[in-house]
Amino acid sequence: MLKGFRDFILRGNVIDLAVAVVIGAAFTAIVTAVVNGFINPLISALFNASDLSKALIVQIPTVSGGHSDLSFGMIIGAIINFLAVAAVVYFVMVLPMNHVKERLEARKAAGTPAEEPAPTDVELLAEIRDLLKARQP
């Protein structure tokens, strides 16, 4: 049971995923700061509101006679945050990695000679024998 767990943890995908989560959390803080400090104020200025959660509010009546608020500004803000994070991840991480992979594949296909298979033990011993015979008078 522990061997299976160890194999699972040491599998490359799990380690890559753990690194991605940690980097993603750190990176999200940067993107959130950009969105909250730059993008949200621009959108708030467009809708003339101090906060997106206060923009585009529609009140609907409730069964009890009161009202409930639908905050479309908050939804727009969440969509913009998602698109900003997705765009930054794509242009900063995915696109450069795809470019590097393409260059490596092109370099491989362009003219890198295929490696010859390593000689077997018998072939190496035969070569050593022949060299020793050539040295003897």
Side-chain angles (χ1 to χ4, degrees):
M1 182 167 81
L2 291 177
K3 182 183 181 304
F5 180 71
R6 184 191 64 189
D7 292 343
F8 170 73
I9 292 297
L10 294 177
R11 194 178 298 164
N13 295 344
V14 174
I15 302 298
D16 291 344
L17 181 61
V19 170
V21 168
V22 171
I23 295 295
F27 196 67
T28 300
I30 294 170
V31 173
T32 300
V34 170
V35 169
N36 290 337
F38 181 71
I39 295 174
N40 283 351
L42 290 177
I43 294 170
S44 295
L46 180 69
F47 291 112
N48 198 22
S50 61
D51 186 10
L52 279 179
S53 63
K54 298 175 185 170
L56 295 174
I57 293 178
V58 175
Q59 292 184 345
I60 59 171
T62 62
V63 176
S64 64
H67 69 279
S68 182
D69 295 336
L70 299 177
S71 180
F72 290 107
M74 189 180 295
I75 295 169
I76 291 171
I79 291 170
I80 290 170
N81 285 342
F82 170 77
L83 292 175
V85 170
V88 170
V89 166
Y90 178 76
F91 288 111
V92 171
M93 296 179 183
V94 174
L95 192 63
M97 287 306 295
N98 287 343
H99 183 67
V100 168
K101 284 181 184 178
E102 288 174 5
R103 289 184 66 192
L104 289 174
E105 288 174 6
R107 188 177 293 167
K108 266 186 182 178
T112 309
E115 291 184 20
E116 294 181 19
T120 64
D121 292 342
V122 174
E123 292 171 338
L124 286 175
L125 290 172
E127 186 176 337
I128 292 170
R129 180 197 64 210
D130 294 341
L131 288 172
L132 287 174
K133 278 185 183 178
R135 287 180 66 193
Q136 291 179 355

